[in-house]
Structures are given as structure tokens and as C-alpha cells.
Amino acid sequence: MLILMHAHATRAEIDGVMKHVRGHGYEPVELPGADRIAIGVLGSHPASIRDNVVGLPGVVDAIPVSKPYKMVGLEWHPSRTVVRVGAAAFGGPEFVVAAGPCAIEDEAQVLTTARSVLASGALLLRGGAYKPRTSPYSFRGLGVAGLEMLARARAETGLPVVTEVLTPADVAAVAEWADMLQVGTRNAQNFSLLEAVGEAGKPVLLKRGMSNTIEEWLLSAEYVLSQGNPDVVLCERGIRSFETATRNTLDLSAVPLVRSLSHLPIVVDPSHATGHRHLVAPMALAALACGADGLLIEVHPNPDEALSDGPQSLTLQQFGSLMADLRRVAPVVGRQMAAVSVG
Amino acid sequence: MLILMHAHATRAEIDGVMKHVRGHGYEPVELPGADRIAIGVLGSHPASIRDNVVGLPGVVDAIPVSKPYKMVGLEWHPSRTVVRVGAAAFGGPEFVVAAGPCAIEDEAQVLTTARSVLASGALLLRGGAYKPRTSPYSFRGLGVAGLEMLARARAETGLPVVTEVLTPADVAAVAEWADMLQVGTRNAQNFSLLEAVGEAGKPVLLKRGMSNTIEEWLLSAEYVLSQGNPDVVLCERGIRSFETATRNTLDLSAVPLVRSLSHLPIVVDPSHATGHRHLVAPMALAALACGADGLLIEVHPNPDEALSDGPQSLTLQQFGSLMADLRRVAPVVGRQMAAVSVG
Amino acid sequence: MLILMHAHATRAEIDGVMKHVRGHGYEPVELPGADRIAIGVLGSHPASIRDNVVGLPGVVDAIPVSKPYKMVGLEWHPSRTVVRVGAAAFGGPEFVVAAGPCAIEDEAQVLTTARSVLASGALLLRGGAYKPRTSPYSFRGLGVAGLEMLARARAETGLPVVTEVLTPADVAAVAEWADMLQVGTRNAQNFSLLEAVGEAGKPVLLKRGMSNTIEEWLLSAEYVLSQGNPDVVLCERGIRSFETATRNTLDLSAVPLVRSLSHLPIVVDPSHATGHRHLVAPMALAALACGADGLLIEVHPNPDEALSDGPQSLTLQQFGSLMADLRRVAPVVGRQMAAVSVG
Amino acid sequence: MLILMHAHATRAEIDGVMKHVRGHGYEPVELPGADRIAIGVLGSHPASIRDNVVGLPGVVDAIPVSKPYKMVGLEWHPSRTVVRVGAAAFGGPEFVVAAGPCAIEDEAQVLTTARSVLASGALLLRGGAYKPRTSPYSFRGLGVAGLEMLARARAETGLPVVTEVLTPADVAAVAEWADMLQVGTRNAQNFSLLEAVGEAGKPVLLKRGMSNTIEEWLLSAEYVLSQGNPDVVLCERGIRSFETATRNTLDLSAVPLVRSLSHLPIVVDPSHATGHRHLVAPMALAALACGADGLLIEVHPNPDEALSDGPQSLTLQQFGSLMADLRRVAPVVGRQMAAVSVG
């Protein structure tokens, strides 16, 4: 930490800060400059000491110099994590696509979608049984009945299932049916839920909070890892900005940036990020090109009748076409995708 | 809802949309314009129908024309709600100040603070026993032990207590000790928690999510009201913007705006909004001047040793001085604050 | 500047950075910590040296520790600047209100408004003759004819005139007619214009760029001061955020924050900030309460027929009522406003 | 336009609005709904009529239903514009890369860079002779001397030159030396400058304002086209958001979105968007993959000694490597890039 003193700080004020720091058991070093004196605090110290210092007389600011996260950081864990869910491996050479409807509506919808995305090359089936909805009057999911439909689709297709869990009390039930637990953007700093999924022993798909900095997002992942669960896949899904022409602002630069800071895999959800069907395929290709480990794509057999998020869902045919495009680009950017026999 | 057709939409496309709307049981009306045709959909209809329409051929956009909330809206409930917590009444003529430490640290800290803010004219005691922290390595509160300390402070001072609850499983325990349940900014769209506090039968202090629009915030309040709990006080506490010189960007215009949209009381938390002690008093006065129903203020007997949020906490003396300023301004802007005998 | 080395930086990398810094003529100091080594660079040095360092091998980041502005800073110029325009003095004990129409439309409109706002207690007349408009098809002002109308209103009422200038080529003409030159939000980083108004020898009203940090805004003011013109009044007028319910997000905390950083006066424009007539008066009172030196208010004799910004303009009567409210609050928050004989 | 009346609007209020609309020469249509009455206004009408209506008694809101731009819109001009600058053609099948230093520093720097980026396959040379700088104390460019160096580099390499112009008074001088005029992000709503470059008869590279919505950006382009200059290339360069880990937030979804709204070519500047060298190549590939027509890349022979923007500049070798990657990906996403003989 570096403590900046006011240009006209008195000797007594400087000594007061030095004494304060020593009183907390840390070693201060005076750094005289042309304009002012700064005080370096050596060694490892908790963030709270900064809070205590900035209000002292003569102090202009105190600048922390360590990253607040540990276990998720590439600096301390230089080998990349690979998260396995069924046959899929996030974070390895393969580009992993999870696809399915926003909300589970009925068995025919799930089965039709599952068969089709499997044929197109998806490695996971996604679908919501518990839906967080901004309005209490929107369709909020089928609950356990929806989980059962997902499980039947898995039984028939072999696709592992990723689905959202909304509250700690539901974690056990969802973990029983699902292969991967999704924490949504509105719960990205629901720390009770993060700890609960950390304890559940299943891989976690952690969406970025729509107003979370990358540092906050990594700290949310640190909550899961600190419970002994190393299997976290990060998912960039767009952030809030002043632009309203897209549903969110897809922060795709987060992909290479997170890969330079953390060893965890990172995937992209272009469906929620853009909110418009015609933008999904271009941004999916962009995600592949900039180094993402995979995608989460909303697909619906009949988007214009969907109970949730129809405008951003691809048709089954559009999804097949996108997968063909991805398969063509993947090897050119150093990624693997298995060929699919569309017959 | 108003559906905008493309300037070159064909007759068949227009007819397709008309048929689609009728197929959902609603009545479309064609509205020819100079450039294009629009289609009005009359009557009350669910938001989901918009989603279904925007992907149809020839459609440019579909614009909803109703507010999505009902019970919280001033349009449907024109008399203002007054929320009573002990002797305090939010939403009436009185300007209500809740004060106390960010986190409960020990009994002496709570009691000292409670006595002092009572003497200065606060009507509620605030303090965190369960703390949501961005990092898993920060101090996260004393839990039930902290709640007991709050209860002892209430027993001695008579001040009702407002404290945060983080997860549905804790609602019963917190409701047993507290007079008002606080839902924090990171849980503002934790819908399970909103329903749980809605069922708990205690007044709720609902902070605005740091990236929530005012409409989303009112919908979160609607979750609580829809459980049969009318006693919600909204709390503006700053939103995310590009400006980093303050901890958040205090959106004070939200105060008169919310008062024009909703009958619920609204208070302001200038401590979290600004993050800097020297900005708290000016923004507290501004909140009073623009029509807020009260304040939430962080106060600590020794901010430079606080375990949480020290830089934004007022000293007991600074708080007393702020209360004196508020008492001077209140009657001039049409508010009441009881005189306090500082003896 | 503090240079942070990677936790696993080699001795050679550390030495390389030390040598690089010395090669630019500055003195590095090694600061060993528990996790990593940091390198302090003493003395005054240009910002560019930071750019050169962050790309060197082993460097994680380099943190500047000085404010980039000088002449506008309170640290170096501790007495507050008072900017005089006619009889008005921004930055002194008086609370100064400038009022008038968004755009000058015709002589009757200007004169009617000028007489009325004078009677209500305004100290300056504002009005746009050159209007920056997002669309090339919107009304863009009357130009010199509008300036002449403003001058006639000044001749009759004695109110000094503040009006916007859009481009360096117009500065001389506008400076001939106006008493104070306004630089608008879209030109807040038009550095050629800032220098031109700096040279013009007239007081400058500098609006905050809608996406400018407070530091950037102060640097724009520094452009004007660095041309030898000390008479700058800053104007907070709302920033861009995700919230669309108001036209902009009024960052009112900027008022006390700027006053703690700079000696320049600061006023608030609640009309552009909120975009809604019914929010103007509450936010004007809030601005007064948190320490602003004055206001800029849009007033129109007949807002529903205004050529520009009608929805946010007050009627003459509403403005009179607001001024009466301000006069009642001002003395309670330590400000002066002259009594007005409304007869 | 659709005018929404209050749920409890009186018949007199509804009639008042109908009369007001007719008084402006437009035809209103009453649209009764379950909750409230709406009033449609048929035909083409100016945006200003909306402003006049929203303040009338009983009106809740008025929703415009036309795009405010015309000439830049794909709806009215369905064939894509191709902008030719020397041998480069933006908006056609070829993917066009412009490269060069942020600021022109000396002749050796420019020539070395020009030769190298030519050899790597760049089609234009970029470089700043007039630099907009946030601080008046930063290096602000060599001016005409810099333009001459660019011209000499063009003479030797044949690369056409794109460079920024800051103010209308400089347009003629810059247009004399440059092949394409760049309008920077801080001038994106400097309407005087937009008109001046519109009149200059040279192709224009129009960067998005850092807080401009896509609609505002297209309206800025409309300013140039409305002066009779159809040759505008849009450049996405990142927008302001709360995230500070990157210099700006690259809004890459803007690429396919703009292509669905406008016929103008669009390129991406990943250097300014990210601000970090190691993020430039991934985001350049992503831009190609999502449909951009080209790139603007900062390259410097010795970034660690650059006078401006060193941390985001590629070395000559890194640029060559990026171009090789782009050439490999381009054909797979339907784009052409000429092979380069690196000999």
C-alpha cells in the first residue's frame, strides 16, 4: 500500500500516519518526492488497514497494490483449469457449446431441442426450470417438473445438463438432477448462494453480474473455490451501459483479459448479451476468435411462441448453421470441434 | 403495444402480424403513416406477447405502453403509504433518520453509538450482523451474536432496529430480533429473498440494486407487496457509472421521480453512495431538500478503527452536527423533525 | 509513481526496470513486500514515463500518485475564486441563478422571459443563439440575430447574458455580444474551443462532458486557465448512466467533491440533468443544500410551444415559485439571496 | 408517435390533446385500451411535436416511432456503400487494415513504421499530427511538420494516409496532405467540425463518441452526408462503462447492429478500446469474425519509448504476426485479404 500525504502535510501529520501503521503491526517507509511525501507500507496486510488510514489528518489517498483474490489468480496457479462435465471439457483445446431453451416449457419442447442441438454438435443441454424474472407476474419456470424433463432429455440424448439455481434451499434438489449448476447474473453477488454451490460438489457456471467489474467477478468465483470446489466456468453475458440498442453491452474484451488474470475457463452467452437473434451468430464467432472456451446459446423450436426470451433465441436450423460456421473457424484459431454427421 | 412495420413491409407481412395478434386473443388496429404502417394492440395483454411479435417478418419493433408494475404504482394507489417502525413513520410529515455502524463489532461499540445517535435525534438504529462482502476474506459480521447486541441496544435506548438479511434461511432469525429487515443492493433482484421478506410480516427497507433502473427497483418492491406485505421503504444508495471518484453515483433525482411514480416512502443512504465522510453531510442535506422521507447514515465511535467502511462513517460528533443542520433546514422545506435536548 | 512487479519477477527484470527509470533521469527505490517487490519513483515526472514502464518485462502495473492538474487545484491555490459577471459573483456568499429559454426564438419571447426572471430574482439571462443538436434536422438557433435579441434584453433589464459558443471561429462574435461564454457538454473536450475561450478574456461557463470524470472536467478547465483566463465557472449537468428514466443522471455529489478539489465555483443545471419539468425544482433545492454556487434554469413563457427542450422548461410562474423557495432555504444553509419586491 | 394518456385522464384532457395535435396540422386517432386511452399521431411529423405534447394535462408519455436519421439508414438506401481511399475499399469484400503510430514523432519513426506495416499487408497508414489530449501538459503533436512526414511516407510507400483533424480551421490544411480525415471520439458531436469535413470532399473516418448511443453516432454521420459527402467510414473504439480494467469497453456488438441499420462501412479500433497491447490481437480477430470491414491498429517501432499510448501499441513484429493471423481467418469468414510476400 502506498499512502499519499497532502503537499502541505505537517511533520506531525506524517509522524501520526507512521505511528498508526506501526500500531497495526506493519512497517512504513517514507518516500520523499518533489511535491509531497508518500509512505509505503511493506509486507502483506489486510485491505481493512487502508480504510483506517485514509481518514487520518494529512492523508490524500491510500493505494492498494495487491490483487484481492488468490485461488482464482493465474499468478498463483499458473496452469489452466479444465472443468469436465460429462464428455465436455471446458478450458482445454475443445470449444464447448451448450444450447437449449431459455425456459423449459414442456417435454416435447425439451426433447425436440435436445435431439436437434445434439445433432448440430452441442455438448451440453441448457434450460431453465427456475427462472429469475424482473416482474413477479412473468412466467417463472416449471420447477422440479422442469428438472425432470431435462433429466429425461439427458437420458435419451446423453447430453449433460446445465441449469440455474436461484437460492441455497434449492441447491440440493437441482444438484440431484443437473450436471452443472448455473448462478445467474442477478445472483452473482449472492454470497450465500455462492457458498452453497461451492459445497454442492458439482461444476458451477458463474455468470458475470451485470454491473460487476472483472475483479468483483473473480472474487465471486473465489467464494466458490474457497469452499473446496475448483470447478468454476466463468460466463460473460453482457454488462450494463448507457447503450439501449442491445439488451446488454457484451464486454468481449473480458475474455482475453480474464484469461490473462485467471486460470479458470471462460465462455460467452451472446443471446442474453445482445437480446437480438440476428446478433447472436456474429458475436458467437467473435467469442471463438478472441479465445473463449465455449458458448451458451438460447435455442427454441418455435421462438415466436416462446414463454421467455423469444426475440434472442435461435431456431433449430439457425443453430445448426451457426455450429457449421464455428466448426469452419475453430481450427484456424487453434480450437477443436468434432465433426458432426448431419444425416 | 404499438408494433412498427418496416417501411417496405409487404401486405402479406402486415396481415401475418394482424393474424398472429388475433391468434393470441387480442385486437389489432392498423395505423397508416406517411412512411410505414404501425399496428396498435388494444386492451390489457401480457409482456410476453411483445416477445413473440418482434421476430415476425416485416416487424421493426414493438413498443410496450403500460407500466409493468401495479401495486407499487401511484397511478393505481394515489394515497401515500406510511410505514411505521416503532415510533418512526416513514412517508409522513416527519423526516426519519436511521443511524449506526456499518458492522456490529462489539457490545460497547453498539451501545455507545446507540446512546449517542438517540441523543442526536435518530429514530432508528442501523447496524449489520450479516455483512455481504465482495471478498470472502473480509470481515462478514458477527451473525446472531450481533443481533443480540442490537436487541440489547434497543432495550436500553428504545430505538427500533433495522438490519440486513442475506438469504431466505436467515429471515426468521433476523425477523425475531429486528424491527425492520434490510435487503441490500447485491440482493435487490434476489427474488427468493424478496418473497421471503414479503412473507415475514416486518417492514422492509429495500435498497436499489447498483445497476437497477427505477422500473426494475419498483418491480422488486412489487415482489414484496405481492406477498401481502405493504410496508416497503425504498432506499437510494447510489448506482454504478463510469465515475470512480465517488464509491457510487448518488442518483438523487430518483427521489422526486419515485415519488411521482409510487406511493412508497423513499430514503437516501449518502454514506454508501459517496464513500467519503466529507461528502455525507452535504448529500444528506440535499436529500432532505429534494423530498426524501429520511436517511440512513453510517456512524462509528472511532471510524479509523472500523472493521468495515470506516472512510465513509461519521464520528458521533459529526453526526450530531449533521442532525442539527437537518433540524434547521427541515421546517423550511416542509418537514418536521423533533427538537432534541442535548443536555 | 509506484511500479508493481510480478510476484515471480526475476532479479534481471527488476534490474531492467530500475535501469529504465534511471535512464529517464529519475530515481527508483526498491520496496520489498511479502508477495512481490514494488519500485517507487521519486520526484516530479511526466505522465508519459508511466506509459513507457508498463510494457517492460516483469511489470504488473504502474500507479501514478499525483493529480494531473495544477492551476485549478485547491491544493496549490487554497483561496476560492470568485467569478464576476456584471453584478453577479459566482463563488462568493451569494447564490447566483441564471435563467432563460433553451433557444432564442424571437424578440418577444426573450424580452418577456428576461423581464419576468429579473422580477423573480435571476442575476443572469441565459439563452441559446447557436444550438448543438444531435440531429442535423433539428432547429439550430438564430445565430447573430439571436445574439442581438439577447443584447436588447440586456439593455432593457440590465441582466448580463450567458450564451453558448460552438466553434473557435464564432468566439469573437459571441464574445462581442455576451458577458459570459458557455462551453456545452458535447464540446467539453473540444480543446481548440477551450483554448479559444481561454484567450477571449470573458468569463467561461464550462459544462461537464456527459461522460467526463471529474478529473477530466478539471483538466478541461485547466486548458482555459492555462491561456491566462482565471474566470471559469464549472456546471454539473448530468452524466450518462444506464438509467433512462431521466434524461441524464445528475451527479450532485460532484458539487461537494469539486469544492474539495478545486477553488473554482460550481453551479448546477437541473433542467438538462433531469429532462423533466417536475424534477427541476426539487433538484434545484438539493443543489443549493449541498453547496452549489448557483443554478442554470430553463424557463419559457409557453413551454408547450418551445422549439427546443420544452418538457424540461419551467413556466415563468413556476420559476417565480422556485425562486421564492430558494430564498427561503438559502439563509438556513449559509447563502445569501437578495429579497425581491414582486410588485 | 403514440401519446399515452393517464389511466384517469378526463375526457376534457383527451380532447385537449386531440385539439393540440390537430392545431399543429397532424391527424390524431383515439386508441381505447383496457387501462387507458392512447392517441396515435399519423403521418410524418417533426420530433419537436413530441416535446410539445408531453407536458399537456393528462399525458403520461409520448413515444416516437420513426428513426431520426434518413440518409445513413439501410431502410432507405439498401445497397451498401463502398468508401475508396487509394487502393483500399472499405465496405467491399476486402478486410482493410490501417496501421501506424498514435502520434507522429519524427521522420525515422514514420518511415520505419510505414515500410514495415506495408510489408505486413496494411492498406493505409495512420498517424496523428494533431493530438487531442485530456491534459494541456501532454504532447499534442507536431502539426504541419507531422503532416509533411506522413506525406513523405506516402510518397515512398504508396500507402494512403488517414489522420485526425481537431477543428474546422484546420480542415483545409489537413485535407491538403491527407487522404482520409479522422474525426475523433471527443469531437464526435462537434457539429461544426462534422459539417466542415462534410464539405471538404475527402473520405471521413468517424469515431464513435465514447458516450454516444448508436443512434447518436449515426446522426453524426448524417451531418457529414447532409453536406453532400457520402464517404463515411464508422469506427467503433470503445465506450464508457463502469469497468476500468480496460481503457474503454469495446462494444463489438455494434458491428453487426450497425450493419443491420446502416449501409456505411464500419471498422474497429481495438488499440484505443482496450488500452492494453496483449488484448489488441484477440479483439482484432473478433472484429473480423463478427463482420467488421476493417481495423485501425496502433503500431510503434519502440512502444516503450512512445510519446503517446505506448502501452496499447503493437511492435512491428507483433503487427506482422497479427496480420498473418487475420489472413488465415479472413477467407473462413467470407473476407478477402491479399497474400503478402514477406521477403
Side-chain angles (χ1 to χ4, degrees), chain B residues 30 73 203 301 343:
Chain B
E30 240 179 86

Side-chain angles (χ1 to χ4, degrees), chain C residues 12-337:
Chain C
E13 287 170 344
I14 295 165
D15 289 344
V17 173
M18 303 281 282
K19 189 174 158 202
H20 182 99
V21 170
R22 280 200 201 92
H24 281 77
Y26 303 99
E27 193 49 40
V29 174
E30 242 179 84
L31 300 170
D35 290 351
R36 69 186 75 228
I37 280 191
I39 298 171
V41 181
L42 304 183
S44 173
H45 48 76
S48 62
I49 193 177
R50 179 188 173 277
D51 282 3
N52 304 137
V53 159
V54 294
L56 297 178
V59 172
V60 170
D61 203 354
I63 301 162
V65 300
S66 316
K67 301 286 185 197
Y69 46 81
K70 301 283 170 210
M71 299 174 75
V72 303
L74 192 61
E75 213 172 359
W76 299 107
H77 182 296
S79 67
R80 306 205 75 84
T81 289
V82 175
V83 176
R84 292 175 195 285
V85 187
F90 292 93
E94 194 163 39
F95 189 72
V96 177
V97 180
C102 178
I104 304 300
E105 296 171 6
D106 57 54
E107 187 149 350
Q109 174 225 29
V110 185
L111 276 176
T112 307
T113 306
R115 284 176 204 136
S116 177
V117 301
L118 173 69
S120 295
L123 296 183
L124 287 94
L125 177 65
R126 57 145 293 159
Y130 296 91
K131 300 297 306 169
R133 299 303 296 264
T134 303
S135 163
Y137 308 123
S138 298
F139 173 63
R140 294 164 67 189
L142 298 177
V144 171
L147 295 175
E148 291 171 352
M149 291 175 196
L150 280 170
R152 257 167 284 165
R154 174 180 52 196
E156 190 189 310
T157 60
L159 288 174
V161 159
V162 53
T163 196
E164 183 165 356
V165 58
L166 296 180
T167 193
D170 292 345
V171 168
V174 177
E176 193 183 333
W177 298 97
D179 302 284
M180 186 178 209
L181 303 178
Q182 179 177 320
V183 175
T185 189
R186 291 171 186 76
N187 283 315
Q189 292 191 305
N190 179 341
F191 304 119
S192 304
L193 181 61
L194 291 171
E195 292 190 327
V197 299
E199 291 163 4
K202 288 269 170 132
V204 174
L205 184 76
L206 176 58
K207 292 209 167 182
R208 181 178 182 181
M210 67 183 82
S211 68
N212 283 167
T213 63
I214 284 170
E215 188 170 294
E216 290 168 332
W217 187 19
L218 292 176
L219 281 165
S220 288
E222 186 96 5
Y223 264 92
V224 182
L225 269 68
S226 70
Q227 298 302 312
N229 183 348
D231 289 332
V232 174
V233 175
L234 301 165
C235 180
E236 161 64 31
R237 49 75 69 205
I239 58 175
R240 279 269 153 107
S241 80
F242 62 83
E243 177 59 75
T244 57
T246 43
R247 184 170 175 181
N248 295 280
T249 295
L250 177 59
D251 182 13
L252 208 52
S253 307
V255 171
L257 183 57
V258 162
R259 287 178 60 87
S260 72
L261 297 171
S262 174
H263 51 86
L264 296 175
I266 178 168
V267 300
V268 170
D269 175 350
S271 308
H272 282 91
T274 65
H276 296 285
R277 191 177 303 153
H278 71 291
L279 304 179
V280 171
M283 302 322 292
L285 288 163
L288 168 60
C290 73
D293 294 301
L295 295 169
L296 214 65
I297 304 277
E298 289 196 350
V299 177
H300 194 284
N302 187 0
D304 295 337
E305 302 295 333
L307 293 181
S308 174
D309 283 349
Q312 71 198 31
S313 294
L314 300 186
T315 62
L316 301 176
Q317 192 180 4
Q318 287 168 331
F319 179 70
S321 166
L322 167 60
M323 290 298 283
D325 289 346
L326 292 166
R327 264 194 302 276
R328 219 167 41 241
V329 174
V332 190
V333 296
R335 285 286 182 174
Q336 298 173 7
M337 283 182 75

Side-chain angles (χ1 to χ4, degrees), chain A residues 130-276:
Chain A
Y130 296 91
K131 301 296 306 168
R133 298 303 296 265
T134 302
S135 164
Y137 309 122
S138 297
F139 174 63
R140 295 165 65 188
L142 298 177
V144 172
L147 295 176
E148 290 172 353
M149 293 175 194
L150 280 169
R152 259 167 281 165
R154 174 180 52 196
E156 189 188 309
T157 61
L159 287 174
V161 159
V162 53
T163 197
E164 183 165 357
V165 58
L166 296 180
T167 194
D170 291 345
V171 168
V174 177
E176 193 183 332
W177 298 97
D179 302 285
M180 186 176 208
L181 303 177
Q182 178 178 319
V183 175
T185 189
R186 289 170 187 76
N187 282 315
Q189 293 191 304
N190 179 340
F191 304 118
S192 304
L193 181 61
L194 292 171
E195 292 190 327
V197 299
E199 291 162 5
K202 289 268 170 133
V204 174
L205 183 76
L206 176 58
K207 292 210 166 182
R208 180 179 183 181
M210 69 183 81
S211 66
N212 283 167
T213 63
I214 285 169
E215 188 170 293
E216 290 168 331
W217 187 19
L218 292 176
L219 280 166
S220 288
E222 186 96 5
Y223 265 92
V224 181
L225 269 69
S226 69
Q227 300 301 313
N229 183 347
D231 290 332
V232 174
V233 175
L234 301 165
C235 179
E236 162 64 30
R237 47 76 69 205
I239 57 175
R240 279 269 154 108
S241 80
F242 62 83
E243 178 59 75
T244 57
T246 43
R247 185 170 173 181
N248 295 280
T249 295
L250 178 59
D251 182 14
L252 210 52
S253 307
V255 171
L257 183 58
V258 161
R259 287 177 61 86
S260 72
L261 296 172
S262 175
H263 51 87
L264 296 175
I266 177 167
V267 301
V268 171
D269 175 351
S271 307
H272 282 91
T274 65
H276 295 285

